[in-house]
Amino acid sequence: MAGLNVSIAFFLSVVAICEVIRQVSKRLLPLGVYHGLVRELVSSLQLCACCLELRMLMEIGPWGGGFGPDVILTLLFIIYLIHGVSFDGASANPTVSLQEFLVMDSSFVATAVKLLVQFVGMEAAGILTTHYWSWELTDFHLIQNLMALDCSSSIHTSLYHGIFVEGVCSFFFHLVALKFQHSHPLYRAPVLAVTVTTLAYTAGPFTGAFFNPTLASMVTFHCSGNILQEYVQVYWLGPLTGMLAALLLYQGNIPRLFQKNLLYSPKSKYRTPKGKAVPGLRQTGDNGEGQLQLRTKPRS
């Protein structure tokens, strides 16, 4: 359990350092720079560093530490719960950033900057975590350093099934995120954490259940077992397709591409109140155009 305690300390240290950077940057930098650059960069670093350490525990822990999948899933839930509360509106996920662009919540330039800093954050996390592993604080890290030279692909199924799995995971993740997008983070974060944990438990044995193209690029693209084109199809094409399907199902259109609602008929904002007829009034008119006329008694 000593190795597990060291990993938990690493998780807490990464989250604490990233939170300090967020708070200091928010006070010292212009708000636009913080929202467009620092927030996304730091959140991407936090996500990838924690996921790399968690993946190491998932691969080595069952036979090197004697703990099962329940420990990994519990850690995954807690980590994503903390991410949801601490990210301060950042996504650290290219498909989420592209979704914001498609619904016209973000401009092209802002989206491009987000995608760029997400890659930078992931690369920085890879360097930081690799350096941390080189200290070999636990036997897990010693074994990880030996295995890193010959890692294997996370795709343990056929290519088309892998694309389907990542697409379905992305579909459900984005559908839940859209449903709770306006909820308070204290409510939204647990729901998303449960969703991610469930998807990881269900689809993890097939593709690793990343449904985050940048995270997958950092973790598994350099491993042997598949070529770059296959990795791109599974971990980029699959999640992007799932995101588009979720967005189309949720609101019936994709505003950046077309305005017409393909699935749902528009509902009128105004409803005609139903009431009793007023005595002495009658409705007349030609061609369906009604007028109210007062009915009076004829004079004798």
Side-chain angles (χ1 to χ4, degrees):
M1 293 297 290
L4 182 61
N5 292 333
V6 171
S7 294
I8 293 175
F10 174 75
F11 295 142
L12 296 177
S13 299
V14 169
V15 172
I17 292 172
C18 290
E19 185 61 24
V20 170
I21 296 174
R22 288 190 193 94
Q23 297 302 324
V24 173
S25 301
K26 191 183 295 185
R27 288 182 172 88
L28 299 180
L29 297 176
L31 197 59
V33 175
Y34 169 73
H35 285 165
L37 290 175
V38 178
R39 182 178 64 175
E40 203 70 44
L41 175 67
V42 174
S43 298
S44 298
L45 188 152
Q46 177 179 323
L47 174 65
C48 186
C50 291
C51 286
L52 284 171
E53 182 74 3
L54 188 64
R55 178 180 171 82
M56 182 271 298
L57 290 177
M58 181 183 67
E59 292 181 344
I60 302 175
W63 55 271
F67 49 85
D70 55 333
V71 176
I72 303 300
L73 292 174
T74 301
L75 287 174
L76 178 63
F77 171 78
I78 295 174
I79 288 172
Y80 266 90
L81 181 62
I82 296 174
H83 289 344
V85 175
S86 65
F87 272 12
D88 194 21
S91 65
N93 189 332
T95 59
V96 176
S97 299
L98 290 172
Q99 175 187 287
E100 293 172 352
F101 171 73
L102 292 174
V103 299
M104 297 193 290
D105 286 341
S106 178
S107 66
F108 175 80
V109 174
T111 302
V113 170
K114 285 182 181 180
L115 296 179
L116 177 61
V117 298
Q118 284 168 3
F119 273 103
V120 174
M122 296 292 179
E123 289 292 337
I127 296 172
L128 171 67
T129 308
T130 302
H131 182 68
Y132 157 70
W133 285 341
S134 68
W135 297 347
E136 297 183 353
L137 299 178
T138 68
D139 293 339
F140 292 161
H141 298 148
L142 174 62
I143 298 171
Q144 171 61 33
N145 290 333
L146 296 174
M147 293 174 57
L149 301 175
D150 189 25
C151 64
S152 58
S153 170
S154 297
I155 303 176
H156 302 295
T157 184
S158 66
L159 177 63
Y160 294 108
H161 186 231
I163 296 173
F164 174 77
V165 168
E166 285 291 312
V168 170
C169 288
S170 178
F171 172 80
F172 282 110
F173 173 77
H174 282 276
L175 199 60
V176 173
L178 286 167
K179 179 65 176 179
F180 292 90
Q181 61 184 333
H182 299 301
S183 302
H184 193 278
L186 292 178
Y187 300 108
R188 183 174 65 249
V191 173
L192 289 177
V194 169
T195 302
V196 170
T197 305
T198 303
L199 293 174
Y201 174 76
T202 305
F206 301 107
T207 62
F210 292 103
F211 48 93
N212 183 329
T214 309
L215 181 60
S217 301
M218 167 55 59
V219 173
T220 194
F221 271 34
H222 63 282
C223 295
S224 60
N226 295 91
I227 61 175
L228 179 60
Q229 181 181 356
E230 293 173 337
Y231 282 130
V232 170
Q233 289 176 342
V234 173
Y235 294 115
W236 277 90
L237 180 61
L240 287 174
T241 303
M243 179 269 291
L244 290 173
L247 182 59
L248 187 61
L249 178 64
Y250 180 76
Q251 61 184 43
N253 70 334
I254 301 178
R256 185 70 67 173
L257 303 180
F258 49 85
Q259 295 293 329
K260 183 179 179 181
N261 197 308
L262 302 179
L263 300 180
Y264 310 113
S265 59
K267 296 182 179 180
S268 175
K269 294 171 59 178
Y270 307 100
R271 298 179 62 183
T272 304
K274 296 181 179 180
K276 296 181 179 179
V278 180
L281 293 178
R282 64 176 181 175
Q283 186 173 6
T284 62
D286 299 328
N287 297 326
E289 297 180 359
Q291 295 180 346
L292 291 178
Q293 296 182 352
L294 181 63
R295 184 171 58 190
T296 60
K297 296 182 179 180
R299 295 182 181 178
S300 57

